[in-house]
């Protein structure tokens, strides 16, 4: 019976060196793909987030609309060069180094066999979404790479923990947390894994304490800077705006409550909301009833109009705009929480349920088209990368990425295979037949998958680029679980072998 335990005779580093020819071929293919891709798309792809990240790096801001980690990454890279192709190459290589670290760990520890190993490596190397994601000036590639390293380190902590691994894991944990707050549940999972690892109590306590100190330092620093710049203790101003935007969509479906009937601090804002809903009541197509970015960024949304009425359009510098924008966040967050509490059924029906469907088949959003279908960049992006002109070009027929439409359905199939594989594995006795390590690994993956599902649905409208890391995780373990089910169903006589085909 396949137990999920390695009998590899060599230590991991020696095993890697022994199989270096495969790594060499893998990265040759990666570089050839990159060269061809950059010939087609000589410039990075930019979208609204890009400008914010570059702006924060250019002005050395301590806080920004988005977590500050990627802007710090841009600043660090700027010590080497402001060359855009070098930045994109670094992001692409970080993705593939993290993927090969993860897949090598899975192959070394779980020994899936030649056929499954080939499938996993092919999925890693021949995956065009990685090229397009790395080509963004955005935190997506860095967040995905750090997340893959994070889960791989957890696999090793469960397998064979040591001081260096626990130390570097704390660094990676904090790094990924500063890059995107989707990692908000990562510390809890890391701490549970560390506390259940096969190592001394002293080592566990020191590891958890060190990680906690680093995380607390970042959180309290962020709170302190927000307090100085906006007058409010808050960790993420964008969270307040997003919470309100999420609540306003379902509120557009209910009968309006008069402004005088809501708490005093919300009345003026609520008046803007009711006026907005009344103006669109007879409209055949309402942007405010489509999951997306309408309430956050559209100038006609009540949140933007209220912001403009309170000086939002009178700012002279990016820092001034951000401070005014962030000052609205506490009110918007409280207002969003109030509407959600008042209309829980509408919130469930018109926000949570549609967003759950989007999780299953997420839209490609900015991945579907290069550079938002524009042939120019913003002035800030032009300055940062030292472009002679704001005009950019591609060598493709148009800017549409035609094959990207496959990925939402591919992700839906991957998640379905993972769930069915897990059910089949449990039904066919895989749990009892597996070692404690393999069971722990399956629980870890399920915990990450479940937390990502819950956070993604609750936090904001889901898009494809946020789900690349979970897609890799679901594909890898879905393949392993499905292989077990197939072997038990059709090849029971080979049940003692460690993989479907040897």
């Amino acid at each position: 019976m396949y137990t999920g335990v390695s009998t590899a005779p060599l230590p991991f580093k020696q095993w890697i060196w022994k199989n270096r020819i495969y790594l060499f071929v893998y990265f040759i293919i990666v570089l050839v793909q990159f060269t061809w891709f950059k010939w087609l798309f000589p410039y990075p792809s930019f979208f609204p987030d890009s400008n914010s990240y570059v702006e924060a790096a250019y002005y050395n801001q301590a806080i920004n609309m988005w977590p500050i980690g990627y802007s710090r990454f841009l600043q660090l890279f700027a010590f080497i060069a402001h060359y855009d192709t070098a930045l994109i190459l670094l992001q692409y290589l970080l993705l593939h180094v993290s993927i090969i670290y993860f897949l090598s760990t899975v192959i070394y520890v779980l020994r899936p066999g030649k056929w499954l190993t080939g499938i996993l490596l092919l999925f890693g190397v021949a995956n065009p979404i990685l090229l397009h994601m790395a080509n963004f000036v955005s935190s997506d590639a860095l967040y995905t790479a750090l997340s893959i390293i994070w889960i791989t380190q957890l696999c090793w902590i469960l397998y064979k923990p040591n001081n260096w691994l626990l130390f570097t894991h704390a660094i990676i944990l904090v790094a990924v947390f500063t890059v995107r707050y989707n990692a908000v549940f990562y510390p809890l999972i890391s701490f549970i894994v560390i506390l259940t690892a096969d190592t001394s109590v002293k080592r566990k306590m020191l590891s958890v304490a060190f990680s906690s100190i680093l995380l607390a330092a970042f959180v309290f620093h962020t709170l302190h800077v927000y307090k100085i710049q906006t007058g409010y203790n808050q960790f993420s101003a964008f969270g307040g705006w997003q919470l309100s935007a999420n609540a306003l969509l379902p509120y557009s479906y209910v009968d309006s409550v008069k402004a005088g009937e809501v708490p005093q601090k919300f009345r003026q804002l609520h008046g803007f909301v009711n006026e907005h809903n009344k103006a669109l009541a007879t409209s055949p197509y309402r942007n405010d009833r489509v999951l997306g970015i309408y309430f956050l960024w559209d100038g006609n949304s009540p949140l933007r109009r209220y912001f403009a009425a309170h000086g939002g359009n009178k700012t002279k510098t990016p820092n001034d705009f951000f401070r005014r924008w962030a000052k609205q966040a506490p009110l918007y967050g409280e207002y969003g929480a109030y509407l959600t509490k008042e209309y829980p059924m509408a919130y469930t029906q018109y926000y949570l349920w549609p967003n759950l469907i989007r999780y299953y088949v997420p839209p490609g959003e900015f991945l579907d088209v290069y550079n938002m279908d524009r042939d120019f960049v913003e002035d800030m992006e032009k300055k940062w990368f030292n472009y002679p002109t704001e005009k950019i070009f591609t060598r493709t027929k148009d800017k549409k990425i035609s094959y990207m439409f496959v990925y939402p359905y591919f992700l839906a199939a991957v998640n379905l295979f993972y769930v069915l594989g897990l059910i089949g594995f449990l039904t066919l006795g895989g749990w009892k037949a597996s070692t404690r390590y393999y069971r722990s690994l399956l629980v870890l993956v399920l915990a990450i998958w479940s937390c990502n599902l819950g956070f993604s649905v609750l936090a904001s409208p889901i898009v494809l680029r946020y789900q690349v890391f979970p897609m890799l995780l679901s594909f890898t373990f879905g393949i392993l679980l499905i292989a077990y089910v197939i072997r038990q169903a059709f090849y029971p006589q080979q049940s003692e072998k460690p993989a479907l085909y040897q």
Side-chain angles (χ1 to χ4, degrees):
M1 179 64 66
Y2 172 44
T3 59
V5 63
S6 176
T7 59
L10 296 175
F12 183 62
K13 290 181 181 179
Q14 294 181 26
W15 180 80
I16 288 288
W17 180 249
K18 179 182 178 182
N19 293 282
R20 61 190 181 277
I21 185 62
Y22 299 107
L23 295 182
F24 178 77
V25 172
Y26 183 98
F27 281 101
I28 287 295
I29 296 173
V30 164
L31 292 175
V32 169
Q33 288 179 140
F34 180 82
T35 302
W36 172 246
F37 180 84
K38 291 310 293 179
W39 185 84
L40 294 174
F41 301 98
Y43 293 89
S45 187
F46 299 93
F47 63 110
D49 296 11
S50 306
N51 200 62
S52 295
Y53 287 124
V54 172
E55 192 174 86
Y58 186 85
Y59 291 105
N60 195 31
Q61 295 174 341
I63 53 176
N64 187 249
M65 290 182 181
W66 313 107
I68 203 64
Y70 183 70
S71 295
R72 293 288 177 262
F73 174 76
L74 290 176
Q75 289 178 313
L76 286 173
F77 185 77
F79 282 111
I80 303 173
H82 283 264
Y83 183 38
D84 58 357
T85 301
L87 172 67
I88 302 308
L89 176 60
L90 176 60
Q91 293 183 164
Y92 189 52
L93 289 178
L94 282 174
L95 273 173
H96 277 288
V97 167
S98 66
I99 288 172
I100 204 65
Y101 177 39
F102 173 71
L103 293 179
S104 296
T105 297
V106 169
I107 294 166
Y108 174 81
V109 175
L110 301 183
R111 298 179 299 117
K114 294 180 181 179
W115 283 96
L116 296 181
T117 295
I119 292 172
L120 294 177
L121 291 176
L122 182 63
F123 177 71
V125 73
N127 204 334
I129 195 173
L130 300 177
L131 281 163
H132 291 280
M133 188 167 66
N135 200 47
F136 279 127
V137 177
S138 164
S139 64
D140 297 319
L142 182 60
Y143 169 77
T144 302
L146 290 173
S147 293
I148 296 170
I149 295 172
W150 171 76
I151 175 63
T152 309
Q153 287 186 321
L154 290 179
C155 294
W156 280 106
I157 290 172
L158 286 171
Y159 184 69
K160 191 179 294 185
N162 58 59
N163 291 336
W164 176 249
L165 179 62
L166 293 171
F167 172 77
T168 55
H169 183 73
I171 305 299
I172 292 296
L173 178 61
V174 175
V176 70
F177 188 74
T178 66
V179 170
R180 181 172 290 163
Y181 296 148
N182 294 55
V184 67
F185 59 88
Y186 286 17
L188 176 61
I189 292 178
S190 287
F191 293 163
I192 292 174
V193 169
I194 291 169
L195 292 175
T196 57
D198 186 17
T199 187
S200 68
V201 174
K202 180 181 178 181
R203 183 183 281 178
K204 294 176 183 179
M205 293 299 105
L206 288 175
S207 177
V208 170
F210 181 53
S211 299
S212 299
I213 290 171
L214 293 180
L215 289 166
F218 172 71
V219 170
F220 284 117
H221 171 72
T222 303
L223 291 171
H224 176 68
V225 176
Y226 263 114
K227 178 67 174 179
I228 293 174
Q229 295 197 15
T230 70
Y232 297 98
N233 278 315
Q234 52 182 324
F235 182 65
S236 171
F238 183 80
W241 278 77
Q242 186 68 69
L243 187 61
S244 186
N246 293 348
L248 285 177
L249 189 151
Y251 179 71
S252 69
Y253 286 90
V254 304
D255 293 333
S256 296
V257 177
K258 293 180 180 179
E261 298 178 13
V262 303
Q264 177 67 40
K265 58 183 175 181
F266 301 142
R267 289 178 182 175
Q268 187 179 10
L269 172 58
H270 195 70
F272 275 78
V273 172
N274 283 345
E275 180 183 331
H276 167 269
N277 289 348
K278 183 178 179 180
L280 294 182
T282 59
S283 175
Y285 180 76
R286 296 182 58 166
N287 289 335
D288 62 328
R289 289 182 173 177
V290 178
L291 278 176
I293 60 175
Y294 172 80
F295 285 108
L296 291 172
W297 308 120
D298 196 296
N300 293 319
S301 81
L303 298 183
R304 300 296 297 189
R305 291 181 61 244
Y306 182 86
F307 174 56
H310 288 76
N313 293 340
K314 297 179 182 179
T315 58
K316 296 181 179 179
T317 67
N319 279 330
D320 188 29
F321 174 85
F322 171 73
R323 283 193 292 270
R324 290 177 181 268
W325 179 87
K327 284 181 179 180
Q328 298 295 335
L331 174 65
Y332 284 2
E334 291 182 47
Y335 180 62
Y338 168 79
L339 288 181
T340 301
K341 183 179 178 181
E342 290 295 309
Y343 304 100
M345 295 306 296
Y347 181 76
T348 301
Q349 180 180 356
Y350 297 114
Y351 174 72
L352 290 183
W353 176 246
N355 211 27
L356 181 61
I357 295 174
R358 281 172 69 111
Y359 179 84
Y360 188 64
V361 187
E365 193 210 24
F366 297 116
L367 281 170
D368 286 343
V369 60
Y370 171 74
N371 199 47
M372 297 175 61
D373 203 22
R374 303 180 307 180
D375 61 354
F376 64 91
V377 298
E378 301 290 344
D379 183 61
M380 181 57 63
E381 296 150 359
K382 174 177 174 288
K383 289 179 181 178
W384 184 260
F385 291 108
N386 298 320
Y387 293 147
T389 174
E390 72 278 2
K391 290 290 185 180
I392 63 174
F393 66 91
T394 71
R395 294 187 175 94
T396 56
K397 186 185 303 183
D398 56 46
K399 296 180 177 62
K400 302 294 183 183
I401 314 299
S402 57
Y403 48 81
M404 203 58 65
F405 84 94
V406 173
Y407 274 94
Y409 304 101
F410 176 74
L411 180 57
V414 165
N415 282 324
L416 180 61
F417 284 168
Y418 169 69
V419 172
L420 292 178
L422 183 59
I423 294 172
F425 177 83
L426 297 174
T427 303
L428 295 174
W431 185 263
K432 290 183 178 180
S434 299
T435 63
R436 180 173 178 268
Y437 171 75
Y438 193 54
R439 291 196 295 266
S440 298
L441 205 58
L442 292 178
V443 171
L444 170 62
V445 173
L446 180 61
I448 296 172
W449 188 86
S450 302
C451 288
N452 176 73
L453 168 62
F455 179 84
S456 298
V457 172
L458 290 171
S460 62
I462 294 167
V463 292
L464 179 60
R465 57 194 173 91
Y466 293 167
Q467 302 303 320
V468 175
F469 165 58
M471 177 175 67
L472 173 68
L473 210 56
S474 299
F475 181 86
T476 301
F477 283 88
I479 286 290
L480 297 177
L481 292 167
I482 289 291
Y484 175 87
V485 172
I486 293 174
R487 184 173 62 249
Q488 291 301 104
F490 299 102
Y491 302 94
Q493 70 278 9
Q494 297 183 8
S495 60
E496 294 301 319
K497 293 188 176 182
L500 178 57
Y501 300 113
Q502 289 293 311

